[in-house]
Amino acid sequence: MKPKQRAAEESPVSINWSTGLLLGSSVQERTKTLGQLRGIFYDADSWSQMDLDTTVYCVRWWQPVPENTEGGLFWGTTTIEPGLVGDEYFMTHGHCHQQRNRAEIYSTISGEGALLLADAEGHTSMEVMTAGSTHYLRGEIAHRVANVGKSPLVFVACWPSDAGHDYETIATKGFLARLIRCHGVPTLLRNDANGS
Ligand code: PAN
Ligand code: ZN
């Protein structure tokens, strides 16, 4: 008898809830270095003087169904290292979903962070991320996460497999505010405000 072929969604994947580590042969991994985040941080001078091979964050994710499958789900863990570029915290690139009606849920495993959310006009708000905090990201909202603590920030995410990632829109019509360390405190500062 022929052994039963395993569908992708049947290959075992496990998560360590203490560390957020996602394990399994089908788990994919993507690391983003400072060099790959050119143009994302406000203080380009400070950015250019840093070691551009420094890892800012790593995403490990599971795609149990092919990308763009309607009705499917993806699941991933993001780990953002602590650090600053000038006064701006290490953060993810940020994106909105190609399909603007595809929402997402984030839940924090460990660390201290800030979830930055921007509407279509770029108006930006912030939600505090701390162990256990769970966040519903409406489909049309651009999102990025900053690590404002001294240890890695780890969070899990679940999003529809046909959401798609749009990294272009935020480059032109993105977040109107950035998260900076001001007197040691994470502070949301409008891009057109003075000083950082
Ligand atoms: C997350 C993000 C992850 C990395 O899984 O993709 O945190 O951020 P960037 O994609 O902005 O580099 C998610 O929001 N998925 O939709
Ligand atoms: Zn997303």
Side-chain angles (χ1 to χ4, degrees):
M1 204 193 347
K2 253 178 127 184
K4 183 176 172 273
Q5 197 84 36
R6 270 200 139 145
E9 62 269 34
E10 290 177 50
S11 58
V13 169
S14 69
I15 184 166
N16 178 325
W17 284 110
S18 306
T19 62
L21 186 65
L22 207 53
L23 287 176
S25 57
S26 55
V27 171
Q28 303 180 59
E29 182 173 315
R30 176 166 53 92
T31 295
K32 283 271 173 165
T33 62
L34 272 176
Q36 291 168 317
L37 293 168
R38 173 191 291 273
I40 294 302
F41 295 98
Y42 188 79
D43 185 346
D45 282 347
S46 295
W47 173 84
S48 65
Q49 285 161 32
M50 296 174 75
D51 176 359
L52 297 183
D53 289 332
T54 304
T55 294
V56 178
Y57 63 95
C58 173
V59 188
R60 291 174 68 81
W61 78 100
W62 177 36
Q63 297 192 177
V65 292
E67 184 121 37
N68 291 325
T69 301
E70 195 181 325
L73 292 171
F74 292 164
W75 170 264
T77 299
T78 302
T79 302
I80 310 177
E81 300 301 325
L84 289 162
V85 178
D87 284 327
E88 193 172 20
Y89 298 96
F90 275 16
M91 62 184 177
T92 58
H93 185 291
H95 62 267
C96 37
H97 293 162
Q98 252 154 15
Q99 297 218 51
R100 297 291 198 267
N101 62 355
R102 296 298 191 267
E104 181 161 10
I105 287 180
Y106 281 3
S107 193
T108 314
I109 303 262
S110 58
E112 302 297 326
L115 171 60
L116 300 188
L117 302 166
D119 66 16
E121 281 78 49
H123 300 121
T124 306
S125 61
M126 185 190 102
E127 293 181 11
V128 172
M129 295 177 78
T130 189
S133 71
T134 298
H135 309 264
Y136 182 77
L137 286 56
R138 296 203 317 270
E140 72 280 12
I141 297 287
H143 41 284
R144 88 163 17 132
V145 173
N147 182 347
V148 303
K150 292 188 168 65
S151 58
L153 172 70
V154 186
F155 64 95
V156 291
C158 185
W159 67 99
S161 40
D162 61 351
H165 290 95
D166 171 3
Y167 293 99
E168 307 305 320
T169 300
I170 65 152
T172 47
K173 292 191 280 173
F175 299 80
L176 287 178
R178 60 206 153 93
L179 195 66
I180 60 147
R181 188 178 62 174
C182 187
H183 305 298
V185 178
T187 307
L188 203 53
L189 189 73
R190 283 184 58 96
N191 294 340
D192 56 11
N194 278 332
S196 60

